[in-house]
Amino acid sequence: MINVGIVGFGYWGPNVARNFHTTPGARVVAVSDADDRSLARAAQSYPGVRMLKDFRELLTAPDVDVVAIVTPVSSHFEIAHMALSNGKHIFIEKPFTASTSQAEQLIELADRKKLKIMVDHTFLFTGAVKKIKELIDDGTLGDLYYFDSIRVNLGLFQKDVNVVWDLAPHDLSIMDHLLRLEPSAVMATGVAHFQNQLEDVAYITIYFPGNVIAHLNVNWLSPVKIRTTLIGGQKKMLVWNDLVSDEKIRVYDKGVEGLDCLGTDPKEKAYGLRLSYRSGDMWAPRVNQVEALQGETAYFIDCINNNITPKNDGNAGLRVVRMLEAIKKSLAKGGALVRLN
């Protein structure tokens, strides 16, 4: 039995606690939160589980095997470093850390201690992302051209991070998992409309080798909530709408092909090619309706028991943080190109 301690029982903490508590082979033995009301809610949900005001008591408890860190990113490094130093595996909320140097230190410490890190990239465990990964890997979409994502809504404004650090980690982790490409450069523009100087609207462009390009639109000031991703490939194109209950994924047999110009038309010769447009059928593959967080917590317990490196390990978290840092630099420079390698 893997014993889990939860640090942070605010917005997302109750979900993490519930899923660990119901995962076979795991149980929640302690919850820590500085807020008395949060602890009272936790105590009502988990009678008999230890409630601690000071998270340090949880991190040093001999009966805790895994520490789930569900706190603001500014506190991640301190808590995670202490947990790993005390021999605990860590499950940590996204984004992994506030800087690449912090992420690298935690990865090195976990490797030295032979401990597991799982970054809570929950969307990787959704039926939709699993299906999209399958369609990419089996060649259904063909060579990829672009990844285009819109993640907008009205609020919730964060006090310590801008809209990029709040919303973009979802799409960056999905993109990293699906494309499996190292980004070469980023450009980002954004605006802060309020006095905290934290951008609430941002547009991000990410360049990859092979003419693959990604664009992310994140926004706290949208009148409507949109969660839509478009992926264009040589053979097929795909639209994922995460807010609909059925036909979340639609695959379109549409595209454009360049043909070598063999004709005599001077205009065609000037272009050097002709374009052929394809417009075929649309189909909606079946997507398994699963609770992503339940699958993720069960997967982490399996990784610990069988010494498996999680697909959303510290290195996956580091790749996302590295992109976030580059985006931050580009925002500060008014949209300048920032190279990643």
Side-chain angles (χ1 to χ4, degrees):
M1 185 66 69
I2 302 294
N3 292 336
V4 182
I6 311 292
V7 179
F9 204 79
Y11 169 71
W12 191 241
N15 295 319
V16 173
R18 174 175 54 82
N19 280 281
F20 269 119
H21 201 64
T22 56
T23 294
R27 65 185 172 196
V28 174
V29 297
V31 174
S32 173
D33 198 291
D35 184 74
D36 289 329
R37 291 170 298 179
S38 295
L39 277 185
R41 284 191 295 123
Q44 187 175 12
S45 299
Y46 303 100
V49 171
R50 297 199 307 280
M51 299 294 146
L52 305 168
K53 287 272 288 186
D54 188 348
F55 68 85
R56 294 170 184 81
E57 292 183 47
L58 186 150
L59 302 184
T60 57
D63 64 334
V64 172
D65 305 304
V66 173
V67 174
I69 302 166
V70 201
T71 60
V73 65
S74 57
S75 65
H76 283 187
F77 179 74
E78 178 191 4
I79 299 171
H81 194 281
M82 191 178 299
L84 291 168
S85 298
N86 282 281
K88 319 297 185 187
H89 304 284
I90 60 170
F91 178 94
I92 188 165
E93 184 53 39
K94 58 81 187 166
F96 182 22
T97 56
S99 70
T100 55
S101 62
Q102 289 180 350
E104 289 165 347
Q105 289 181 62
L106 294 180
I107 292 168
E108 188 278 330
L109 178 58
D111 288 345
R112 182 155 39 89
K113 293 275 193 175
K114 302 188 185 309
L115 297 166
K116 304 295 182 189
I117 296 174
M118 176 173 280
V119 183
D120 185 15
H121 294 160
T122 317
F123 275 97
L124 306 192
F125 297 85
T126 61
V129 171
K130 287 181 178 180
K131 176 57 68 174
I132 295 170
K133 180 68 171 169
E134 179 184 313
L135 294 171
I136 291 173
D137 290 348
D138 69 11
T140 297
L141 301 187
D143 294 336
L144 298 184
Y145 291 156
Y146 65 84
F147 178 99
D148 198 320
S149 179
I150 304 171
R151 186 173 297 273
V152 303
N153 49 259
L154 189 61
L156 296 164
F157 280 72
Q158 305 297 314
K159 297 178 181 179
D160 57 340
V161 294
N162 64 10
V163 69
V164 172
W165 282 77
D166 179 44
L167 296 183
H170 292 303
D171 301 295
L172 294 174
S173 63
I174 294 167
M175 181 187 72
D176 174 72
H177 177 64
L178 295 177
L179 303 188
R180 288 299 179 191
L181 295 172
E182 289 286 337
S184 54
V186 304
M187 293 175 61
T189 56
V191 177
H193 291 93
F194 301 97
Q195 294 180 353
N196 59 10
Q197 299 304 306
L198 296 173
E199 289 86 358
D200 43 63
V201 178
Y203 304 93
I204 304 157
T205 303
I206 306 172
Y207 299 93
F208 296 90
N211 281 344
V212 179
I213 190 170
H215 184 263
L216 279 60
N217 173 2
V218 289
N219 187 340
W220 280 332
L221 292 177
S222 169
V224 294
K225 184 176 182 178
I226 302 173
R227 300 285 187 269
T228 303
T229 299
L230 292 82
I231 301 175
Q234 178 189 18
K235 296 179 181 178
K236 301 283 192 299
M237 297 184 177
L238 178 152
V239 178
W240 167 31
N241 184 348
D242 194 46
L243 298 185
V244 297
S245 57
D246 60 346
E247 295 191 358
K248 282 184 175 290
I249 296 173
R250 293 187 174 188
V251 181
Y252 294 84
D253 184 15
K254 291 187 176 183
V256 180
E257 294 179 359
L259 304 175
D260 289 334
C261 180
L262 301 176
T264 58
D265 189 311
K267 292 182 179 179
E268 287 186 348
K269 282 190 173 182
Y271 279 108
L273 57 80
R274 289 175 296 170
L275 295 179
S276 172
Y277 294 90
R278 183 182 71 258
S279 183
D281 295 334
M282 181 280 293
W283 58 285
R286 179 184 177 187
V287 173
N288 291 330
Q289 300 295 330
V290 297
E291 183 170 4
L293 189 54
Q294 180 65 68
E296 187 178 24
T297 54
Y299 174 61
F300 192 35
I301 297 303
D302 184 53
C303 288
I304 293 170
N305 286 330
N306 295 291
N307 194 27
I308 299 169
T309 300
K311 59 188 174 186
N312 50 330
D313 65 352
N315 286 300
L318 170 61
R319 292 193 296 271
V320 170
V321 172
R322 186 176 287 127
M323 286 187 277
L324 288 170
E325 280 196 330
I327 293 166
K328 182 179 179 181
K329 289 179 183 177
S330 183
L331 284 171
K333 295 179 179 179
L337 185 74
V338 175
R339 298 200 174 274
L340 285 156
N341 52 37

